[in-house]
Amino acid sequence: MNSTHILTVLVDNNAGVLFRVSGLFSRRGYNISSISSAETNNPQLSQLTIVANGDDNTIEQIYKQLSKLIDVKEINIVTPTSAICREHIIIKLKSDNKSEIEKISSKYGSKIVDNSNNTIILELTGDREQISSFLNEISKFEIIKLIRTGITALERG
């Protein structure tokens, strides 16, 4: 049965690593739902957080293939209970009803980062369900532009 899996992959912070990792997925026909990459506290290393869909055998194959890449130092398959998983969203709305937008923003704990005459820009960090619920509620207003990061994860403990 296909399900969503989250992999955290510690890699050397070298040019082309992200390309090699995404190429591995592409060559084998695996789909990446989201991927984020950032330098760690050690500037020599980056962490990739990859969200992929597949059955347990597919994820096992992805794990084995990633392990073969020279730049890969560590791979973890995490769950929302074994890791802190967050997404970030920035959304620009037409501000026809600022008071209602501000009410929804406050309900979800989003931050107003720009408030002009015609538009309002909000940002929110939360788990996938919170972001989706926020989007569902705020989508009754005219969305001008939306940027969503995908999941980043850090193992607990």
Side-chain angles (χ1 to χ4, degrees):
M1 181 173 119
N2 281 354
S3 58
T4 301
H5 298 269
I6 304 167
L7 295 93
T8 59
V9 185
L10 192 64
V11 297
D12 288 328
N13 190 12
N14 295 330
V17 172
L18 186 58
F19 176 76
R20 287 188 287 284
V21 169
S22 62
L24 179 148
F25 277 75
S26 148
R27 284 188 305 279
R28 287 162 181 80
Y30 303 140
N31 186 44
I32 297 173
S33 297
S34 75
I35 188 167
S36 65
S37 173
E39 189 175 279
T40 67
N41 58 316
N42 177 348
Q44 303 297 313
L45 299 172
S46 288
Q47 178 174 299
L48 309 178
T49 304
I50 303 169
V51 179
N53 292 315
D55 59 23
D56 290 341
N57 290 334
T58 300
I59 300 307
E60 183 179 335
Q61 285 303 309
I62 290 170
Y63 185 97
K64 287 178 181 177
Q65 295 300 319
L66 283 170
S67 298
K68 293 178 183 179
L69 295 177
I70 293 170
D71 294 310
V72 172
K73 302 303 174 202
E74 181 180 313
I75 306 166
N76 292 298
I77 299 173
V78 301
T79 64
T81 55
S82 70
I84 304 299
C85 300
R86 295 291 185 263
E87 286 190 59
H88 185 78
I89 187 170
I90 303 173
I91 185 168
K92 182 191 282 190
L93 303 165
K94 190 167 185 176
S95 60
D96 292 336
N97 189 343
K98 284 190 182 187
S99 63
E100 182 67 18
I101 291 170
E102 289 170 352
K103 183 178 172 185
I104 294 169
S105 174
S106 177
K107 175 182 173 182
Y108 285 91
S110 72
K111 182 178 174 186
I112 298 170
V113 293
D114 185 62
N115 195 348
S116 67
N117 290 336
N118 301 324
T119 63
I120 189 166
I121 298 177
L122 308 172
E123 73 173 344
L124 176 64
T125 300
D127 62 33
R128 181 169 265 190
E129 292 76 25
Q130 180 185 12
I131 298 292
S132 294
S133 180
F134 171 73
L135 273 176
N136 187 46
E137 197 162 337
I138 206 78
S139 65
K140 62 184 173 187
F141 303 103
E142 184 181 340
I143 297 173
I144 298 169
K145 195 162 191 175
L146 177 146
I147 305 296
R148 189 172 179 173
T149 62
I151 293 175
T152 55
L154 185 63
E155 295 83 9
R156 294 179 185 271

